[in-house]
Amino acid sequence: MAEIEREAMEYDVVIVGAGPAGLSAAIRLKQLDADCNVVVLEKGSEVGAHILSGAVLDPVGLNALIPDWKDKGAPITVPVKEDNFYMLGEAGSVRVPNFPMPPLMNNHGNYIVSMGNVCRWMAEQAEALGVEIFPGMACSELVYGDKGEVKGVVAGEFGINADGTKGDGYEPGMELHGKYVFLSEGVRGSLAKEVMAKYDLSKGHEPQKFGLGMKEIWEVDPAKHKEGTVTHTMGWPLGSNAGGGSFIYHLDNNQVYVGFVVHLGYKNPYVNPYLSFQQFKHHPMVKELLEGGKRVAYGARAISEGGWQSMPKMVAPGVALLGCSVGMVNVPRIKGNHNAMLSGKAAAEAAIAAIKADRSGDELSDYETEVRNGEIGKDLKKVRNVKPLWSKYGLTASLVLGGFDMWTNTLGFSLLGTLGHGKSDAEATEEAAKHKVIDYPKPDGKISFDRLTNVAFSFTNHEESQPAHLKLKDPDVPVKVNLPKYAGPSARYCPAGVYEFVEEEGKDTRFVINFQNCVHCKTCDIKDPSQNINWTTPQGGDGPNYPNM
């Protein structure tokens, strides 16, 4: 479609993604220069529609950006009162005491929040400063300048038919050009992926590692609700099949966030993260909390877990990667929103300095220096060995060694240096012949639910007349390679039931992509062992419509 004529609009800074990183950047740009021309483009139907996070928020990022956030009515009102950590067995649990944990693991001073609602509030602050925010505007491609720099994006293309032709109501979209483009798309963003490949930004860095986070919001019996309580668990039901754990956060209004994270570096292709989550809710400790309550929302999202050693180069000519596009999650703390905000602030400060020096389209190296040497780098460097220890030696050893390493890092040194991750999550998948099928219990429809029933509670919608946004590099690979070699893992790793292998009598097995179910978690793009699935943006406004995730 290179021949399409599009109108172009010029800005100082174009920001892709209205998450905590992108909105922080927008706010800081206008704080520093009220005349700076800033636009934020968001693929969700509204700001917050595609935001899914735990979340216990460390307010350090917001304190730096908007120190008077309390006075301005930020939806951050449930302080953490109690912090619990349990190791689960099938029938029981053992509480791990808080005192041996490094200080950085303490949640004192943090808040249980809906990051969707925090982002909606941040968008209001940005618009009050004069930032233009356009939701429902998916950025489908990058625009490059004469010198090979990123100079903008294409946004708002609508009306393409399923076969790729232009429909009757076709809208070509617009080119939005900027002196600098910030990509804050969240984990495994499609444009960030292109930039990393084009400029070889991952060279010299460890592969990024990921987890799949699934979350439900429950309204529970008021007698069981304990506002401000934070609980994390590890162990059952994952066992040796995969790393991961759970979170249970009691917010206000008798609501509880129940979440489950599965590290995507698992070897056994028979692992089903979604069914592990549903099984977890039947543990006596969790079941007792949820019985008599009702689930009101569901969603899923990949989490970047590689940390310090997996962060790629963050800048290339004309473009900077922010927040989870880089991977700034502190894995043992299960927190990344504070670093996303700090990264947006740092990128904005670098861009304003460059623009005032009459620069554009070059590398914002000051931004990268600040991330690596400033608060974000200090936060991530202390915990850099926890994830590789877990991947290599399992849960128990990683708790002991990882805890010891975090303590020594708190004191300013590490006996382990910086450990590597080795394989990507796709490469970690082993052939099905080496593993046994895992027998998961069937959901009961009360505490646990089948995938398609739960997807309805993500309020996901895709216009079905458009082309599938999940692209296969080779349409033969799923049936000819992934099914015989890996037992068709896409039918299991997807938490929304997008992929299925359909067998009909007398016919060849078909690989079916139900793209309208997609909750934009990006797991398929990450975990497919053949790296044959490419996640691209559907038309703007499509996807989940999360209420207060």
Side-chain angles (χ1 to χ4, degrees), residues 450-499:
D450 67 77
R451 276 187 297 193
L452 295 186
T453 301
N454 234 358
V455 167
F457 284 79
S458 68
F459 314 105
T460 293
N461 182 60
H462 290 88
E463 173 57 55
E464 293 191 23
S465 63
Q466 67 185 307
H469 62 281
L470 302 154
K471 314 281 188 192
L472 299 179
K473 295 173 188 173
D474 181 342
D476 292 334
V477 162
V479 171
K480 291 188 176 174
V481 179
N482 287 357
L483 187 57
K485 195 171 180 182
Y486 303 104
S490 56
R492 289 180 292 278
Y493 61 57
C494 173
V498 169
Y499 303 102

Side-chain angles (χ1 to χ4, degrees), residues 426-457:
E427 292 165 338
T429 314
E430 293 181 348
E431 293 184 23
K434 294 183 178 180
H435 296 276
K436 291 180 180 175
V437 174
I438 301 171
D439 185 22
Y440 291 96
K442 193 176 177 188
D444 69 352
K446 297 173 186 172
I447 298 287
S448 51
F449 312 97
D450 67 77
R451 276 187 297 193
L452 295 186
T453 301
N454 234 358
V455 167
F457 284 79

Side-chain angles (χ1 to χ4, degrees), residues 207-211 265 303-306 310 387 391 421 423-425:
Q208 186 59 265
K209 302 291 284 183
F210 299 92
I303 305 163
S304 59
E305 296 185 335
S310 296
K387 171 69 175 174
S391 301
H421 295 299
K423 296 177 180 177
S424 71
D425 292 331

